[in-house]
Amino acid sequence: MSFDFTPLLPAHVPAPAPRWTGFPEHNFVGGHIDDATVPVDDLRAAIDKAMVKEGSNLATYYLQSGPQGYKPCRDYVAHKLKKYAGIDTTGDEILLTSGSLQAMDLVNSLLLEAGDTVIVEESNYGGAFSKLRKLGVNMVPVALDENGMRMDALEMALDGLAAAGIKPKYIFAIITVHNPTGTILPLDRRLKMLELAKKHGVPIFEDECYSDLVWANERPAALRGLDDSGMVIHIGTFSKTVGPALRVGYINADWDVLGRLIAMKSDAGSGALEQMMLAEFCPDHFDAHLKKCNAVLEGKLDALIGALDENFGSTIEYRKPPGGIFLWVKMPEGVKTSRLAAVAGRQGVAINPGPEWSLGGDADEWIRLCFANPPIETLRSGVAKLADICHAEFGVPEFSGNVKR
Ligand SMILES: Cc1ncc(COP(=O)(O)O)c(C=O)c1O
């Protein structure tokens, strides 16, 4: 009999996590990347160099770089933000975090309390929804189209809230390779978004988790790059380019915000080895590595799309995204994706059902498929199995290729 902690737990404590039993056979969830693209040899060489240079500095908290994280890594992040996202910044305006999830937690704890309101893209990162729900924050959804957040809908949301006397704390924006739709917001909408945010005095919380993963290898400037007022807090990560297990994310903001975020980060610094390794790896290798990742990912997306077309035909709808690791798919009429996800999960096919990733009225018609990690053969067999399960449960799709089921 083990000690019972239950009577001691405060009311807000979540239900316990289930024990991890391994990844499912067909894993279309989790935001993982392609394992063959992890640059193992270059990372090994980088960590070796870093240890020779800095190993003895592990003796101190914060190495010799202070609470913002390893300075050469911050300097590289600043360089990368300038080169790819058009943000003119320096390592002094970067805070390295344990993944961008910690960055989200820090920004949320700085700005939000229960009862506050934020504006979000209607379909969104499920992790962002769950953090905001846990904080008791009201979310006002803004509709998207094939190019991302609709500015008429944003304007209506901001005007409506102002008329009701509600000032949202921020607009959460995953506008450069959106999760889950993969859209990239065009420049004119970015400028409009900044104009609307300024008019209403509402800051923007820009999350660029996937912005490096663009097939064309170029993207419009980030909102933080286009803004000169300091109203944009920008976060990003190395999770989707080098590896999510590294847990290296970052925040880029003006000092008056960054200083407050540093004061809230109470863990005495994020892991130093990975920051040191990235600082050695990135300057020489990141650009070529990224191009390679993007070519591999687009190939996998094409394979996924091929398998979907073969197994579901015209019963589904999707738009091929310009980048990222997800496909957002409207399932055949009559399919309830929360039920499909539960049934498929029991048979080793893990998918994200729409209601976890969208506040839209039609959320239960959509699924999110992560295609980056499974080998192409597994993507194909997983889609075929999903179609079989879907047919057994909902009677659709009736055909696989030209063959009636
Ligand atoms: C939009 C978005 N933001 C942030 C994260 C968190 O990423 P990480 O903590 O690995 O940097 C994710 C993870 O999938 C995401 O999809």
Side-chain angles (χ1 to χ4, degrees):
M1 196 36 200
S2 60
F3 185 81
D4 182 12
F5 282 86
T6 320
L8 307 176
L9 302 179
H12 60 79
V13 168
R19 275 187 204 278
W20 191 66
T21 54
F23 290 125
E25 185 188 352
H26 294 289
N27 192 18
F28 291 105
V29 306
H32 304 149
I33 64 171
D34 179 272
D35 42 60
T37 59
V38 176
V40 175
D41 291 340
D42 289 334
L43 292 176
R44 282 179 65 195
I47 192 73
D48 198 46
K49 270 198 217 160
M51 284 307 279
V52 170
K53 219 190 262 179
E54 300 280 2
S56 60
N57 283 329
L58 291 170
T60 59
Y61 285 96
Y62 306 134
L63 301 164
Q64 295 295 317
S65 283
Q68 283 170 258
Y70 186 50
K71 180 70 164 46
C73 187
R74 285 191 273 133
D75 289 343
Y76 180 76
V77 170
H79 161 82
K80 172 168 121 60
L81 289 178
K82 185 162 192 169
K83 177 166 178 168
Y84 288 97
I87 302 175
D88 196 2
T89 188
T90 68
D92 291 337
E93 287 185 337
I94 305 291
L95 169 61
L96 295 175
T97 54
S98 304
S100 54
L101 283 169
Q102 187 184 39
M104 290 174 86
D105 284 337
L106 288 169
V107 173
N108 284 344
S109 6
L110 180 66
L111 294 176
L112 302 179
E113 55 191 348
D116 279 344
T117 295
V118 298
I119 292 183
V120 296
E121 287 147 314
E122 182 177 73
S123 59
N124 213 305
Y125 172 40
F129 282 160
S130 48
K131 283 181 187 300
L132 293 168
R133 284 195 186 109
K134 204 162 136 195
L135 288 167
V137 167
N138 305 313
M139 293 181 267
V140 175
V142 173
L144 306 155
D145 64 17
E146 68 278 12
N147 289 313
M149 202 195 285
R150 272 177 36 200
M151 289 304 113
D152 59 331
L154 176 63
E155 186 162 22
M156 224 159 74
L158 283 164
D159 287 347
L161 287 169
I166 298 169
K167 184 131 173 150
K169 284 288 183 76
Y170 61 64
I171 302 166
F172 183 57
I174 317 173
I175 58 170
T176 312
V177 186
H178 176 254
N179 181 357
T181 63
T183 51
I184 299 177
L185 200 76
L187 181 63
D188 57 336
R189 289 200 199 179
R190 288 172 190 243
L191 296 171
K192 182 71 185 173
M193 192 169 165
L194 284 170
E195 181 195 315
L196 291 170
K198 246 175 223 166
K199 178 177 156 199
H200 287 269
V202 178
I204 298 174
F205 181 11
E206 176 173 53
D207 179 349
E208 287 221 331
C209 192
Y210 304 94
S211 59
D212 295 316
L213 306 180
V214 180
W215 315 147
N217 292 304
E218 55 180 40
R219 33 73 52 97
L223 291 170
R224 180 150 171 86
L226 296 167
D227 170 56
D228 55 8
S229 73
M231 72 187 309
V232 181
I233 300 174
H234 180 102
I235 65 170
T237 183
F238 287 93
S239 284
K240 310 299 167 168
T241 49
V242 185
L246 285 181
R247 311 311 300 133
V248 182
Y250 50 85
I251 307 179
N252 174 225
D254 280 13
W255 180 254
D256 52 351
V257 173
L258 206 69
R260 289 184 186 276
L261 292 166
I262 295 165
M264 299 192 84
K265 190 173 184 294
S266 57
D267 59 0
S270 296
L273 285 186
E274 45 273 48
Q275 296 177 16
M276 284 157 47
M277 183 173 74
L278 287 172
E280 286 295 334
F281 167 79
C282 290
D284 289 341
H285 301 290
F286 187 82
D287 296 348
H289 166 70
L290 191 58
K291 282 202 174 123
K292 188 173 146 199
C293 291
N294 285 333
V296 169
L297 288 175
E298 190 178 14
K300 283 195 158 183
L301 172 59
D302 287 339
L304 175 71
I305 284 176
L308 285 166
D309 289 349
E310 189 181 327
N311 288 278
F312 286 90
S314 58
T315 64
I316 55 167
E317 287 171 38
Y318 59 81
R319 283 194 201 96
K320 180 179 169 179
I325 58 173
F326 311 117
L327 190 66
W328 183 234
V329 184
K330 188 170 189 184
M331 294 304 278
E333 212 179 319
V335 173
K336 298 279 170 248
T337 61
S338 35
R339 199 167 106 211
L340 177 66
V343 175
R346 289 195 286 276
Q347 297 180 48
V349 183
I351 56 169
N352 291 124
E356 289 172 13
W357 301 82
S358 173
L359 303 175
D362 64 348
D364 213 14
E365 296 170 25
W366 294 82
I367 61 171
R368 189 189 76 150
L369 296 173
C370 305
F371 56 81
N373 189 256
I376 285 185
E377 268 322 302
T378 313
L379 285 175
R380 291 200 180 113
S381 56
V383 168
K385 192 164 174 189
L386 182 64
D388 286 345
I389 294 167
C390 190
H391 180 258
E393 192 65 18
F394 297 97
V396 279
E398 263 191 280
F399 291 88
S400 170
N402 289 327
V403 183
K404 200 166 176 9
R405 282 174 203 279

